[in-house]
């Protein structure tokens, strides 16, 4: 059987900031319809790799390819399509400090569905907000929200354009159990519909449950790349991954 083409591929990617090499020689493929976990110790470079794959950071070495095209060479139109297909939930939520939650949720719809009516936008926003279980006012700025509520709105913003590829950076942290269960079931449904998932987590059970592949990142490099079967079958591999996650 032919191997499926990678949807997103990082080829020998490196990224530096303030003269520090943050990640180096990262080569990894994200296959359509699969879930990939990025695991590893804090400060290892997971968030950087996720942002490079999502096109939010630009590598200074190597290439990030989407459907076999270098995203750095995208036209404006291709870039817009890529942005519409992908969505990121940031580790720190990264909401817009000087806009209301409603404005924050409305902006992606304005950009990607310019013909959508205000009423349709409102409907779509009510839908995602209710799906994530946020029940308070949307006419406030993020500073009034708890960290957990900010995570819910960050998640709702990611889902509002119904992306095909979702990047989740420690998205269950700071949530209470009920909210975490709710978001996890949304993510499971997203995956069961054939969408593609890349997520970062320190929770070994979640990683071994949800992912088809686990990539371990430490010291800015990939230190392991295993399938879920290998993780479950091989106690040594599981031990190494679990140990590396807790460092
Ligand atoms: N823009 C930046 N400028 C300087 N240092 C950075 C920058 N981005 C990340 N780093 C550093 O690079 C390392 C890896 O960061 P990150 O990718 O956030 O790791 P992780 O998500 O695995 O905790 C950390 O030590 C972090 O402080
Ligand atoms: Mg991080």
């Amino acid at each position: 059987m032919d191997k499926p083409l990678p949807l997103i591929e990082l080829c020998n990617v490196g990224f530096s900031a303030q003269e520090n090499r943050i990640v180096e020689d990262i080569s990894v493929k994200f296959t359509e319809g699969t879930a990939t976990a990025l695991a590893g110790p804090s400060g290892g470079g997971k968030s950087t790799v996720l942002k490079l794959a999502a096109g939010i950071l630009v590598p200074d070495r190597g290439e990030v390819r989407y459907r076999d095209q270098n995203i750095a060479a995208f036209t404006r139109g291709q870039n817009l399509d890529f942005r519409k297909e992908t969505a990121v939930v940031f580790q720190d939520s990264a909401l817009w400090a000087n806009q209301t939650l409603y404005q924050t949720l409305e902006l992606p719809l304005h950009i990607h569905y310019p013909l959508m009516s205000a009423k349709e936008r409102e409907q779509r926003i009510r839908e995602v907000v209710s799906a994530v279980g946020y029940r308070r006012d949307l006419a406030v700025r993020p500073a009034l929200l708890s960290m957990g509520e900010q995570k819910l709105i960050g998640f709702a913003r990611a889902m509002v354009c119904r992306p095909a590829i979702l990047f989740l950076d420690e998205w269950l942290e700071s949530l209470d159990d009920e909210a975490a269960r709710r978001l996890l079931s949304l993510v499971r449904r997203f995956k069961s519909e054939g969408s593609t998932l890349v997520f970062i987590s320190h929770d070994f059970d979640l990683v071994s449950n949800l992912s088809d592949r686990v990539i371990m990142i430490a010291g800015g490099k990939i230190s392991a790349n295993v399938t879920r079967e290998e993780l479950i079958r091989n106690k040594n591999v599981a031990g190494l991954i679990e140990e590396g996650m807790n460092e």
Side-chain angles (χ1 to χ4, degrees):
M1 204 171 80
D2 283 348
K3 269 198 145 182
L5 264 182
L7 186 59
I8 297 183
E9 182 172 12
L10 275 64
C11 312
N12 308 106
V13 163
F15 179 79
S16 305
Q18 287 140 39
E19 318 217 331
N20 296 317
R21 190 137 278 280
I22 311 289
V23 297
E24 200 168 355
D25 202 23
I26 302 279
S27 293
V28 58
K29 295 174 182 171
F30 301 110
T31 307
E32 191 158 14
T34 68
T36 308
L38 306 180
S42 293
K46 302 178 298 297
S47 294
T48 304
V49 169
L50 181 132
K51 288 179 197 163
L52 286 161
I56 291 191
L57 290 175
V58 179
D60 47 43
R61 287 191 208 172
E63 281 181 7
V64 178
R65 303 183 72 81
Y66 172 67
R67 298 194 188 278
D68 213 22
Q69 269 198 291
N70 183 358
I71 66 170
F74 273 176
T75 61
R76 204 181 142 77
Q78 285 174 315
N79 195 41
L80 205 58
D81 287 346
F82 178 65
R83 294 258 161 257
K84 187 175 177 181
E85 278 223 354
T86 53
V88 183
V89 176
F90 294 91
Q91 187 169 4
D92 60 357
S93 299
L95 301 180
W96 219 359
N98 63 353
Q99 302 285 305
T100 66
L101 307 180
Y102 194 87
Q103 287 169 319
T104 293
L105 293 167
E106 201 175 27
L107 182 71
L109 294 173
H110 271 302
I111 293 174
H112 294 300
Y113 297 91
L115 302 179
M116 197 180 248
S117 69
K119 193 157 177 261
E120 281 176 288
R121 283 198 301 273
E122 186 181 348
Q123 239 168 19
R124 185 74 82 87
I125 289 169
R126 300 278 163 219
E127 219 173 84
V128 282
V129 165
S130 133
V132 301
Y134 178 81
R135 290 186 195 85
R136 293 176 53 203
D137 197 2
L138 288 175
V140 297
R141 295 181 186 186
L144 288 186
L145 270 55
S146 70
M147 296 299 274
E149 288 170 328
Q150 292 189 27
K151 276 270 153 96
L152 295 183
I153 298 297
F155 193 89
R157 173 180 57 188
M159 297 308 275
V160 78
C161 287
R162 299 178 182 155
I165 311 166
L166 190 56
F167 294 93
L168 302 169
D169 196 345
E170 304 198 14
W171 86 109
L172 296 181
E173 272 69 1
S174 56
L175 292 179
D176 61 57
D177 287 352
E178 191 200 327
R181 262 198 304 276
R182 187 188 292 263
L183 292 204
L184 187 57
S185 91
L186 289 176
V187 167
R188 282 194 198 285
R189 189 184 327 149
F190 177 83
K191 191 185 170 219
S192 73
E193 287 164 354
S195 302
T196 308
L197 187 63
V198 178
F199 72 99
I200 296 175
S201 172
H202 288 281
D203 180 339
F204 183 79
D205 289 337
L206 178 68
V207 166
S208 46
N209 256 300
L210 189 63
S211 57
D212 301 298
R213 181 170 283 282
V214 183
I215 314 252
M216 180 89 174
I217 301 172
K221 294 187 174 170
I222 292 181
S223 57
N225 181 343
V226 298
T227 62
R228 176 192 152 89
E229 288 71 34
E230 287 171 296
L231 187 70
I232 292 169
R233 203 171 354 100
N234 190 332
K235 289 270 177 293
N236 290 337
V237 171
L240 274 176
I241 300 266
E242 192 164 14
E243 209 173 283
M245 287 169 70
N246 294 325
E247 268 171 27

